[in-house]
Amino acid sequence: MSYLFTSESVSEGHPDKVADQISDAVLDKLLAYDPQSHVACETLVTTGQVIVAGEVTSDAYIDIPLVARETIRRIGYTKSEYCFDADSCGVLNAVHEQSPDINRGVNRETKEAQGAGDQGMMFGYATNETDNYIPVTLDLSHLIVKTLADIRREGKVMTYLRPDAKSQVTVEYSEEGIPLRIATIVVSTQHDQFMDDDEAMLAQIKADVINILIPRVKAQISSEKVLKLFDSKINYHINPTGKFVIGGPNGDTGLTGRKIIVDTYGGRGAHGGGAFSGKDPSKVDRSAAYAARHIAKNMVAAGVSDEILVQLSYAIGKAEPVSVFVDTCGKSHVDMSDGEIAEKVKKLFRLTPNSIINNLQLRKPIYEETASYGHMGREPKKVVKHFSSRYNNGGAANGPKELDIEVELFTWEKLDRVEDIRKEFEIRD
């Protein structure tokens, strides 16, 4: 019997995502000026107010209120009628130094002996139902809100759009777990009060979503099997609660780390207890989750299984993982138990925090881009990022300091271990 499964996404203007982006922008700037920075940065946003708190150990000094305002401006909160805008919001800096007790567990005599920054379990997941190996429900949810933001920035159509938005996609699956069709699409988007008649205004928004947004979403999809999921029977819910003028941090307080399922796999697979944003890679909450995704994606791409869940677990201060677990979800193509597959994973991948950081180049300022539209399923690419500061690394005012740093984004999405895996598992075409 067929079944339904749903994933959601939120736009960069959603209050929780505003908080995530500020936290990761702070992290990036600290890493740009001191790659060995240890950072745990949390942000709260609400009506007219930003609070940045957390723990930092770094030789760099940055203007945190300025970083917050630059991020808010980039997102699009630039008008006073939003009751939250880059120029007028208050920014409280409550960052202090990292606990020496935690630092003692991380720093070791040699880098390879570096311990995990905390205990915990981290998951990576991959499925071959999309070209980027994430669930189609989440892939489409991300694409909807990302395209909505593109339309808002262009300012040519749907000119009433404001930054806050959410999407949700429900797909009908066959009993064998094959996507059959899109059953429901939900879009809630913040908007100007551009008509006096609320019913006519909502009817216009619904028509624009169906006739402008969705065709643009479909135009970006190259996979025929995904395009075939769209049919004339899709049930659309557009701003189902009514008008959505009050939104963003004015409508709902935002906190770093409250959208962890949006960040990962949309409810498929599993998620550990920790959020990602605002944490430097010594925190295995983040770095080991990326490593687990790297493993899962390359394993599926290599043909080990159509679907794979990988769990890594660590003890604070210890370098080697406590456990490596693999679940092929009953879709394996190799004559091995999941336990035997896990043993091969341990042989193929070095999973100490230092090895993960080095292999995935995680001490670079690569994180602000991860903080909206998902950390997984993204395109790895090299970019040059520009940073400026009126402080030098020692913290003394010394005029402006400009940096242009070439980084590679989303390295954990690279399919660079496929051949190694195929050789180890003796997989042939």
Side-chain angles (χ1 to χ4, degrees), residues 140-141 143-145 147-148 151 158 167-169 182 184-187 205-221 227 230-231 234-238:
L140 291 174
S141 295
L143 188 55
I144 287 170
V145 283
T147 305
L148 198 63
I151 292 171
M158 301 178 74
S167 64
Q168 187 171 285
V169 176
I182 298 169
T184 304
I185 292 176
V186 181
V187 177
I205 294 170
K206 181 172 184 176
D208 288 349
V209 166
I210 294 172
N211 298 320
I212 297 174
L213 172 62
I214 297 302
R216 281 193 52 163
V217 167
K218 293 170 68 175
Q220 298 173 72
I221 299 170
L227 282 172
F230 289 84
D231 62 24
I234 297 173
N235 187 21
Y236 289 95
H237 295 291
I238 313 302

Side-chain angles (χ1 to χ4, degrees), residues 251-265:
D252 187 15
T253 296
L255 294 169
T256 299
R258 276 208 307 203
K259 284 291 175 284
I260 57 177
I261 300 303
V262 171
D263 288 341
T264 53
Y265 308 107

Side-chain angles (χ1 to χ4, degrees), residues 32-48:
Y33 288 94
D34 176 12
Q36 299 307 313
S37 296
H38 286 185
V39 182
C41 178
E42 314 288 344
T43 303
L44 177 149
V45 295
T46 188
T47 304

Side-chain angles (χ1 to χ4, degrees), residues 30 91 117 130 136-137 139 170 211 235 302 333 360 409 417 423:
L30 285 165
V91 182
T130 59
V136 68
T137 49
D139 200 23
T170 301
N211 298 320
N235 187 21
H333 296 298
L360 299 180
L409 305 176
R417 298 299 306 277
K423 182 178 179 180

Side-chain angles (χ1 to χ4, degrees), residues 50 55 84 139 160 219 230 286 313 321 325 341 354 364 376:
V50 177
E55 301 79 46
F84 181 85
D139 200 23
Y160 50 78
F230 289 84
R286 184 169 216 164
S313 66
F325 168 82
I341 293 172
N354 186 68
K364 302 287 184 69
M376 316 304 178

Side-chain angles (χ1 to χ4, degrees), residues 39-203:
V39 182
C41 178
E42 314 288 344
T43 303
L44 177 149
V45 295
T46 188
T47 304
Q49 184 69 50
V50 177
I51 300 173
V52 182
E55 301 79 46
V56 170
T57 299
S58 178
D59 287 336
Y61 184 83
I62 66 170
D63 187 336
I64 287 178
L66 178 61
V67 172
R69 294 184 195 283
E70 289 173 342
T71 306
I72 294 164
R73 185 174 295 107
R74 175 187 58 75
I75 292 168
Y77 285 107
T78 56
K79 299 179 181 179
S80 60
E81 57 260 40
Y82 296 162
C83 296
F84 181 85
D85 70 278
D87 293 325
S88 68
C89 67
V91 182
L92 173 64
N93 178 6
V95 172
H96 59 87
E97 190 172 3
Q98 185 183 44
S99 162
D101 291 344
I102 293 175
N103 200 45
R104 186 182 302 117
V106 175
N107 292 330
R108 289 288 189 264
E109 293 179 0
T110 65
K111 288 186 176 181
E112 185 56 30
Q114 173 185 324
D118 201 353
Q119 71 174 45
M121 67 285 186
M122 301 82 206
F123 290 93
Y125 173 80
T127 172
N128 64 5
E129 68 184 41
T130 59
D131 292 341
N132 56 6
Y133 299 92
I134 64 170
V136 68
T137 49
L138 181 63
D139 200 23
L140 291 174
S141 295
H142 284 326
L143 188 55
I144 287 170
V145 283
K146 176 66 169 62
T147 305
L148 198 63
D150 291 342
I151 292 171
R152 171 174 58 86
R153 285 198 166 88
E154 290 166 8
K156 297 177 181 178
V157 294
M158 301 178 74
T159 54
Y160 50 78
L161 292 173
R162 292 185 175 185
D164 194 359
K166 300 179 77 171
S167 64
Q168 187 171 285
V169 176
T170 301
V171 168
E172 180 183 352
Y173 285 79
S174 71
E175 193 170 347
E176 295 74 32
I178 306 299
L180 300 175
R181 58 177 295 272
I182 298 169
T184 304
I185 292 176
V186 181
V187 177
S188 295
T189 180
Q190 187 189 14
H191 57 88
D192 294 337
Q193 181 76 41
F194 62 95
M195 289 184 184
D196 293 331
D197 186 333
D198 286 354
E199 288 190 11
M201 180 172 63
L202 293 172

